[in-house]
């Protein structure tokens, strides 16, 4: 990875050679070997090395990806936080956030300046829509990078600051037991729609012992909510799912299955079903 204008000025490469298929543009002025797989981390590395102001750091969704629990794709813009506006990183490939970044909120990860896990969660809660922020903070909790008491203490120290109320809303919805992003999205959708907060990863037993652990549950009404990913369509998995469903029903549980299409495109109907099921079970 190298800075094109600097390499040309040093006589290491010509402008024509730089346009050849041998090189891949990562961001304005920065190139890499075309055979190098492009990941979000590679693009973060390019920004950190060539386009980040002194005192700045990778932040938000990019920091989450560098720290581990993030979900950024290679083509997603790189997010940074800088103490003052900086013209070098004003490109379509970089999202600039201007904010104070005390040294205690910074760490080094594989040679790159990155906001700490706690600061990253704070920024995600302030910058993203509530559901998107909860998805990522859930992953921080699940991975053990932060704990709920640490989040609460961090928020308490910043009470009254811009974005504190948003972060409090996110903190009230996070749950470190969530095992997938879509499970988090489903749980938040139910709560924001006014339904009771469901139990997460609830274990169900019958007289013979353990039956199943369901994604979400309302134990008082024996209602289970399961998010079915694509892998559930596998023939062997479908057979196991049906045996599991039969045992749950025999134990008196009503199971409502949710697919990605349903969650994305048919949420009002799903909410009606759940409200109806709760009314009957009550």
């Amino acid at each position: 990875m190298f800075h094109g204008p600097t390499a040309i000025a040093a006589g290491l490469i010509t402008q024509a050679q730089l346009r050849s298929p041998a090189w891949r543009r990562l961001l304005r002025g920065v190139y890499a070997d075309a055979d190098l797989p492009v990941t979000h981390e590679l693009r973060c590395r390019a920004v950190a090395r060539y386009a980040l102001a002194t005192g700045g750091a990778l932040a938000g969704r990019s920091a989450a990806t560098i720290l581990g629990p993030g979900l950024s794709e290679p083509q997603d813009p790189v997010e940074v936080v800088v103490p003052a506006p900086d013209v070098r990183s004003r490109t379509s490939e970089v999202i600039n956030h201007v904010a104070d970044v005390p040294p205690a909120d910074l760490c080094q990860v594989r040679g790159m300046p990155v906001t700490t896990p706690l600061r990253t969660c704070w920024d995600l809660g302030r910058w993203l829509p509530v559901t998107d922020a909860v998805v990522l903070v859930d992953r921080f909790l699940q991975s053990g990078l932060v704990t709920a008491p640490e989040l609460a203490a961090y928020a308490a120290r910043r009470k009254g600051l811009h974005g504190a109320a948003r972060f409090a809303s996110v903190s009230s919805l996070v749950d470190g037991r969530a095992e997938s992003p879509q499970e988090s999205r489903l749980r938040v959708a139910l709560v924001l729609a006014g339904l009771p907060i469901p139990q997460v990863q609830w274990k169900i037993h019958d007289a013979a012992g353990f039956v199943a652990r369901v994604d979400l549950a309302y134990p008082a009404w024996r209602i289970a909510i399961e998010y079915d990913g694509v892998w559930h369509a596998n023939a062997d998995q479908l057979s196991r799912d049906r045996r599991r469903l039969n045992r749950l029903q025999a134990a008196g549980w009503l199971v409502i299955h949710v697919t990605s299409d349903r969650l994305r495109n048919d949420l009002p109907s799903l909410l009606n079903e759940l409200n109806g099921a709760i009314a009957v079970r009550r």
Side-chain angles (χ1 to χ4, degrees):
M1 184 164 55
F2 61 96
H3 186 243
T6 301
I8 291 172
L12 300 174
I13 194 171
T14 67
Q15 186 69 52
Q17 289 172 329
L18 195 59
R19 289 196 295 266
S20 79
W23 311 108
R24 184 195 306 273
R25 180 184 179 278
L26 295 179
L27 68 148
R28 188 173 62 193
V30 181
Y31 297 82
D33 189 316
D35 290 334
L36 196 62
V38 176
T39 63
H40 192 73
E41 177 166 339
L42 180 67
R43 298 184 64 246
C44 286
R45 193 174 293 279
V47 171
R49 186 178 296 177
Y50 298 109
L52 190 59
T54 301
L58 299 166
R61 285 166 290 199
S62 293
T65 298
I66 298 302
L67 291 165
L71 300 166
S72 297
E73 297 293 337
Q75 70 275 9
D76 290 340
V78 175
E79 285 193 81
V80 301
V81 61
V82 291
D86 179 44
V87 295
R88 290 185 302 166
S89 54
R90 286 181 184 168
T91 73
S92 59
E93 296 104 338
V94 181
I95 297 175
N96 263 302
H97 301 279
V98 179
D100 290 334
V101 193
D105 283 351
L106 295 176
C107 62
Q108 287 283 321
V109 179
R110 297 184 289 282
M112 294 175 283
V114 182
T115 51
T116 61
L118 278 171
R119 172 59 187 260
T120 301
C121 290
W122 167 262
D123 288 336
L124 292 169
R126 296 185 305 150
W127 297 342
L128 297 185
V130 169
T131 300
D132 293 340
V134 170
V135 166
L136 287 171
V137 178
D138 269 358
R139 290 170 67 84
F140 272 83
L141 286 165
Q142 203 275 337
S143 66
L145 284 168
V146 299
T147 65
E150 287 173 338
L151 286 174
Y154 191 93
R157 293 195 298 270
R158 285 154 179 75
K159 190 173 182 180
L161 297 181
H162 177 69
R166 268 181 81 86
F167 183 77
S169 297
V170 170
S171 297
S172 69
L173 292 167
V174 298
D175 192 308
R177 294 169 295 175
E179 293 192 342
S180 73
Q182 291 296 74
E183 181 186 310
S184 295
R185 290 186 184 280
L186 175 57
R187 186 186 76 251
V188 174
L190 302 184
V191 176
L192 293 182
L195 273 73
I197 298 175
Q199 296 291 332
V200 178
Q201 296 298 318
W202 185 258
K203 294 180 180 178
I204 297 173
H205 297 78
D206 62 11
F210 177 75
V211 175
R213 184 179 64 175
V214 296
D215 294 335
L216 304 172
Y218 293 117
W221 305 310
R222 293 196 177 189
I223 297 174
I225 307 160
E226 293 275 69
Y227 178 80
D228 291 344
V230 175
W231 65 280
H232 282 273
N234 174 276
D236 290 340
Q237 184 61 43
L238 183 62
S239 178
R240 288 191 291 270
D241 285 348
R242 288 297 176 263
R243 290 197 299 270
R244 181 173 178 271
L245 177 60
N246 290 341
R247 286 197 65 190
L248 285 167
Q249 290 176 332
W253 282 76
L254 172 64
V255 183
I256 295 177
H257 292 273
V258 182
T259 62
S260 60
D261 180 70
R262 193 104 202 265
L263 180 58
R264 185 172 56 250
N265 301 317
D266 195 29
L267 184 59
S269 174
L270 171 63
L271 295 173
N272 286 337
E273 284 181 21
L274 274 169
N275 278 311
I278 291 171
V280 169
R281 288 291 173 124
R282 274 177 171 153

